[in-house]
Amino acid sequence: MKTKITRLTSSSAMMTIALLLWGSSAFASTLLVDDDKTECPDAGFNKIQDAVDAATSGDTIQVCPGTYDEQVAIAKPLSLVGIHRDKKAAAVVQPSNVVANADFLGTPNAAILLVQDTSGVTIKDIPIDGFNNGVVFTGGVPFINGIFFRPAS
């Protein structure tokens, strides 16, 4: 009888460990973003930042074709992926008013896409356009970065 209990306990422990290692990815969601809901009418968001804020660790945010006039800050592990619909152009992040949002060794930086204090972030097929950025800053001219990792990977 002792052997059966030990086997049952071992099986339960292994199942618990497997679930813990599997973690939040077992419950990951896909969130859809479309700036004007033309290419992806079922999108739940029209701003990338709103989807990032609503996402949980391990989620994937799919960004439909369009021009997104915003800076984006990511502080959790997730995937940000541009998608194509009917061979239309990619999603482009192109903010018109870039604000200094990070510093590097005391120098102000304006990141169009800021990844901070996290790891496990994937960014794929998201063009960044910093032209005509209308930089907004106080004190010193910031460096403009397309994607800036501040302690992150």
Side-chain angles (χ1 to χ4, degrees):
M1 186 67 154
K2 233 179 192 185
T3 305
K4 287 183 182 179
I5 293 172
T6 303
R7 285 185 186 155
L8 181 60
T9 304
S10 295
S11 295
S12 296
M14 289 175 65
M15 181 68 100
T16 302
I17 290 169
L19 287 172
L20 288 172
L21 291 175
W22 198 10
S24 63
S25 64
F27 304 104
S29 298
T30 299
L31 292 81
L32 190 60
V33 181
D34 187 352
D35 62 336
D36 57 10
K37 295 198 178 183
T38 300
E39 290 79 19
C40 303
D42 295 333
F45 304 91
N46 62 0
K47 292 184 180 252
I48 298 168
Q49 187 64 60
D50 291 344
V52 168
D53 293 344
T56 59
S57 294
D59 284 354
T60 297
I61 298 171
Q62 293 183 333
V63 185
C64 294
T67 301
Y68 296 85
D69 183 7
E70 60 182 307
Q71 282 179 274
V72 179
I74 299 172
K76 60 184 104 172
L78 54 80
S79 294
L80 187 63
V81 180
I83 61 172
H84 303 275
R85 295 277 188 194
D86 303 320
K87 299 183 181 179
K88 293 194 178 191
V92 178
V93 178
Q94 184 180 34
S96 57
N97 290 306
V98 177
V99 178
N101 56 0
D103 69 58
F104 184 68
L105 301 174
T107 304
N109 280 271
I112 294 172
L113 204 154
L114 174 64
V115 180
Q116 63 182 0
D117 303 323
T118 190
S119 62
V121 173
T122 301
I123 301 165
K124 182 178 178 188
D125 296 330
I126 303 283
I128 307 289
D129 186 347
F131 193 69
N132 292 325
N133 56 54
V135 172
V136 178
F137 59 92
T138 56
V141 178
F143 288 106
I144 297 175
N145 298 285
I147 302 173
F148 187 72
F149 290 84
R150 183 178 70 182
S153 64

